[in-house]
């Protein structure tokens, strides 16, 4: 059996390189590589990055080629891992993983080999820079060393990594992640996306949250760990807050936005639930919640209208984004979509600075590139000055002097149901467009997907919805064979069973000796 994306027993230089990074050191870099890197850093625009964006723009459907589209104009989109650690120790309803996803052991060697292979293909196909998510299960089930090594591999391939978690771990894990076994700091910056909602069961201290407000102390505790990390170890961080939205909690979204805005999260992302993954955990009619409803609740919590057309990330039926900042108790957009002058600034940014790679570029090199481009296009200075003046007037000088400016992004991701994605993808693979309006809309959304996952075994990239709706079930069945759980002897019967598998008569419970919460 060969699993999609898995190089069996992949070790070699990949594992050696990861172990070097885990000890806080990078592999040696040749003199010529350093010279090439320096020469590339002095160019205003990296031609490889510009070429990757041009390919991305060419691949977008006409429906996504809008004035505010960022794909192909200021990036290629986000990326994510799959099958690298498909295990979690909470139970969620819904869960986007298939029913076999949690029945595997956590294996650091498998994780590092997979991350290396997937990032290498993403680097080859999507260019030198992108944001990538270390996702697929609960990241804190990895050892701190394996977690750090995975992040180092991602950065070595030009990816800015973000670790996805339920946030139910302690400061000690975080400190070991950034410091390493020798006590030296090995990570200068970390990014985490923490998922909190009242349909996640098994969190320590609050096994079954009665509502969203009851989770606020846990949201605050998570963010406080990173503030402490920065104070004690000078590690910079970025935090995103994720929340699944169903008919049962849509009316509480505004409260979460209002209550948590000052906790330290730089992004709040809300995902209306879809019929994807383990059908045993579909407990509501998720189609009763629309994207418009969720966005209206976010706006109610923020206290102002959020224009998601200024900057678009793929198809707005999938993603809505509003960039801005808090100054005191009010949120202001960086660009006002109702002011034509700000839209001119946006268009100029795409024209002058769109091909500039901001992600992962050292501050000095980025400043040099901006200076070179500004010298070539002095009108950019005039536009920037006008924009700054307008933004200050909107917020007010007194307010800006009295309050620290806190950038916060608001996002909504609308996933698609598996029943639509499967036929849409099958037709796309054959190069056919559907005659069914709903399936044709699904095809458009997949073609404009902002989020790609890599399959090194056949050199393909797939949208995240395709991964979860089409490919995950077989991949996770294969992983159960590749990474089987150890057998545990029952104390009462003397028989063996897989830890984490709910036995007959069970509901949601933690098995004796198990690592996994299950929902029967």
């Amino acid at each position: 059996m060969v699993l999609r994306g898995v190089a069996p027993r992949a070790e070699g230089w990949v594992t050696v390189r990861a172990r070097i990074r885990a000890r806080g050191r990078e592999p040696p870099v040749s003199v010529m590589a350093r010279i090439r890197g320096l020469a590339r850093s002095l160019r205003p625009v990296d031609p490889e990055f510009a070429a990757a964006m041009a390919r991305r723009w060419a691949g977008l459907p006409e429906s996504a080629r809008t004035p505010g589209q960022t794909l192909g104009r200021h990036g290629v989109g986000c990326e994510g891992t799959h099958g690298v650690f498909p295990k979690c120790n909470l139970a969620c309803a819904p869960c986007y993983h298939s029913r076999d996803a949690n029945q595997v052991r956590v294996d650091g060697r498998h994780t590092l080999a997979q991350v290396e292979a997937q990032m290498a293909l993403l680097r080859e196909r999507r260019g030198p820079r992108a944001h990538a998510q270390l996702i697929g299960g609960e990241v804190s089930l990895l050892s701190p060393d394996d977690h750090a090594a995975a992040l180092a591999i991602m950065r070595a391939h030009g990816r800015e990594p973000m670790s996805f978690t339920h946030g139910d771990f302690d400061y000690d894990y975080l400190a070991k992640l950034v410091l390493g076994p020798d006590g030296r700091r090995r990570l200068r910056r970390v990014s985490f996306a923490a998922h909190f909602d009242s349909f996640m069961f098994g969190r320590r201290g609050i096994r079954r949250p009665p509502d969203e407000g009851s989770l606020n102390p846990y949201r605050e505790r998570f963010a406080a760990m990173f503030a402490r990390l920065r104070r004690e170890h000078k590690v910079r961080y970025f935090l995103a807050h994720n929340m699944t939205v169903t008919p049962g909690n849509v009316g509480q979204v505004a409260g979460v936005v209002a209550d948590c805005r000052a906790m330290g999260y730089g992004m709040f992302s809300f995902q209306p639930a879809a019929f994807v993954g383990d059908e045993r955990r579909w407990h509501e009619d998720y189609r009763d919640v629309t994207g418009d409803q969720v966005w209206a609740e976010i706006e109610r919590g923020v206290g102002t209208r959020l224009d998601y057309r200024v900057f678009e990330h793929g198809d707005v039926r999938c993603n809505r984004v509003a960039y801005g900042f808090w100054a005191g108790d009010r949120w202001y957009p960086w660009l006002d979509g109702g002011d034509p002058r700000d839209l001119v600034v946006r268009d100029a940014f795409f024209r002058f600075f769109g091909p500039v790679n901001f992600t992962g570029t050292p501050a000095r090199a980025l400043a040099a590139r901006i200076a070179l481009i500004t010298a070539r296009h002095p009108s950019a200075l005039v536009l920037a000055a006008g924009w700054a003046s307008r933004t200050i007037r909107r917020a007010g000088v007194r307010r800006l002097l009295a309050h620290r400016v806190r950038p916060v992004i608001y996002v909504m991701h609308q996933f698609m149901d598996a029943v639509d994605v499967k036929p849409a993808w099958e037709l796309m693979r054959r190069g056919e467009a559907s005659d069914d309006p709903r399936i044709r809309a699904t095809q458009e959304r997949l073609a404009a997907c902002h989020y790609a996952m890599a399959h090194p075994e056949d050199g393909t990239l797939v949208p995240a919805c395709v991964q979860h709706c089409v490919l995950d079930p077989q991949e996770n069945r294969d992983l159960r064979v590749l990474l089987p759980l150890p057998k545990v002897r029952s104390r009462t019967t003397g028989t063996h069973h897989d830890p984490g598998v709910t036995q007959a008569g069970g509901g949601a419970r933690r098995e004796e000796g198990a690592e996994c919460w299950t929902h029967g």
Side-chain angles (χ1 to χ4, degrees):
M1 178 200 69
V2 178
L3 177 67
R4 283 180 63 94
V6 173
R9 310 295 296 175
E11 300 179 45
W13 67 273
V14 171
T15 306
V16 171
R17 197 168 70 167
R19 288 173 179 167
I20 291 173
R21 294 193 185 99
R23 292 195 295 269
R25 302 196 308 271
E26 289 292 330
V29 180
S30 69
V31 174
M32 287 306 298
R34 291 180 183 276
I35 292 174
R36 287 193 297 268
L38 177 61
R40 171 173 288 178
S41 70
L42 295 176
R43 296 173 178 171
V45 174
D46 184 336
E48 187 181 4
F49 183 61
M53 287 204 302
R55 291 194 301 270
R56 189 69 184 93
W57 180 265
L60 289 176
E62 287 297 329
S63 59
R65 296 185 185 183
T66 60
Q69 183 61 252
T70 61
L71 292 184
R73 301 173 79 188
H74 191 57
V76 295
C78 290
E79 303 161 353
T81 57
H82 64 93
V84 297
F85 49 94
K87 187 175 184 66
C88 185
N89 54 355
L90 296 189
C92 303
C95 176
Y96 288 164
H97 287 291
S98 65
R99 66 168 59 207
D100 293 291
N102 219 19
Q103 313 307 322
V104 300
R105 71 174 187 270
V106 177
D107 186 298
R109 184 167 59 184
H110 167 83
T111 297
L112 298 184
Q114 276 298 288
V115 171
E116 172 69 36
Q118 292 176 28
M119 292 302 111
L121 180 59
L122 289 166
R123 169 65 178 81
E124 175 189 334
R125 295 285 304 277
R126 285 165 60 96
R129 297 291 178 185
H131 289 272
Q133 299 166 354
L134 183 58
I135 190 172
E138 171 48 41
V139 74
S140 66
L141 295 181
L142 293 172
S143 72
D145 287 347
D146 286 337
H147 188 170
L151 298 179
I153 291 171
M154 296 170 81
R155 286 203 167 102
H157 287 286
R159 272 50 205 161
E160 182 60 29
M162 173 177 278
S163 302
F164 271 56
T165 179
H166 52 44
D168 192 19
F169 58 83
D170 296 322
Y171 180 77
D172 182 61
Y173 179 88
L174 195 56
K176 290 179 179 178
L177 170 68
V178 302
L179 294 181
D182 58 2
R184 296 165 54 195
R185 185 180 64 181
R186 60 183 168 190
L187 299 175
R188 297 180 179 273
R189 184 181 189 275
V190 291
S191 295
F192 274 78
H195 201 118
F196 293 90
D197 66 60
S198 56
F199 298 102
M200 301 171 69
F201 307 120
R203 190 180 300 275
R204 292 175 301 170
I206 186 167
R207 296 295 186 184
R208 287 183 172 271
D211 52 33
E212 294 300 332
S214 64
L215 286 167
N216 285 345
Y218 298 87
R219 295 176 169 115
E220 190 166 24
R221 171 191 171 274
F222 180 78
M225 288 196 300
F226 290 83
R228 176 184 172 186
L229 189 72
R230 183 162 190 168
R231 287 195 309 271
E232 295 182 355
H233 301 295
K234 312 301 181 188
V235 175
R236 295 179 295 114
Y237 64 89
F238 180 85
L239 299 181
H241 176 286
N242 292 347
M243 175 177 159
T244 299
V245 183
T246 76
N249 68 352
V250 64
Q252 301 173 58
V253 168
V256 171
V257 171
D259 294 342
C260 304
R261 61 181 174 84
M263 287 184 180
Y265 295 95
M267 176 188 292
F268 288 88
S269 175
F270 298 88
Q271 294 103 37
F275 290 106
V276 179
D278 191 343
E279 64 275 6
R280 297 172 301 173
R281 302 189 186 187
W282 297 346
H283 301 318
E284 301 176 78
D285 188 351
Y286 302 132
R287 294 190 182 95
D288 286 346
V289 174
T290 67
D292 288 340
Q293 286 177 287
V294 175
W295 195 251
E297 284 294 305
I298 299 171
E299 291 179 324
R300 188 163 68 90
V302 175
T304 189
R305 175 177 174 269
L306 303 177
D307 189 341
Y308 57 86
R309 290 286 190 174
V310 177
F311 289 107
E312 299 177 14
H313 296 266
D315 196 304
V316 294
R317 290 169 290 187
C318 296
N319 308 302
R320 300 185 186 185
V321 184
Y323 294 91
F325 63 92
W326 285 93
D329 60 355
R330 293 193 60 182
W331 186 91
Y332 300 89
W334 290 115
L335 294 178
D336 184 349
D339 190 329
R341 296 171 298 180
D342 278 13
L343 297 182
V344 170
V345 171
R346 177 200 63 190
D347 297 342
F349 175 82
F350 282 144
R351 188 165 62 253
F352 300 148
F353 300 101
V356 176
N357 174 25
F358 284 71
T359 302
T361 302
R364 291 181 181 178
L366 181 59
R369 290 180 179 181
I370 292 173
L372 288 170
I373 292 172
T374 303
R376 185 178 301 174
H377 304 284
S379 62
L381 277 178
V382 178
L383 290 170
W387 163 78
S389 176
R390 289 191 300 277
T391 303
I392 291 170
R393 285 199 304 272
R394 286 173 191 142
V397 174
R398 181 175 298 180
R399 178 181 291 272
L400 292 174
L401 291 175
H403 302 283
R404 183 173 66 91
V405 170
R406 293 181 293 104
V408 177
I409 307 165
Y410 292 97
V411 180
M412 186 194 72
H413 293 302
Q414 178 106 46
F415 296 105
M416 293 181 281
D417 294 339
V419 70
D420 295 331
V421 173
K422 290 177 181 177
W425 182 246
E426 184 60 34
L427 288 171
M428 292 176 73
R429 292 181 66 191
R430 300 202 301 259
E432 299 176 16
S434 175
D435 295 328
D436 183 326
R438 190 180 79 249
I439 302 303
R440 180 61 180 271
T442 303
Q443 290 181 306
E444 291 177 351
R445 293 171 66 178
L446 290 174
C449 183
H450 187 264
Y451 192 1
M453 293 183 167
H455 283 271
E457 75 285 356
D458 58 13
T460 60
L461 306 181
V462 301
C465 280
V466 170
Q467 180 64 43
H468 296 314
C469 296
V470 181
L471 303 179
D472 267 356
Q474 185 59 50
E475 181 173 289
N476 287 317
R477 284 191 289 270
D478 291 343
L479 281 168
R480 289 191 68 172
V481 178
L482 184 70
L483 302 172
L485 287 165
K487 299 294 183 180
V488 176
R489 181 176 296 276
S490 169
R491 294 181 179 178
T492 57
T493 66
T495 59
H496 289 79
H497 65 269
D498 286 346
V501 179
T502 302
Q503 304 301 304
R509 71 179 186 269
R510 189 181 293 271
E511 292 293 323
E512 183 69 33
E515 295 180 332
C516 164
W517 275 79
T518 59
H519 222 46

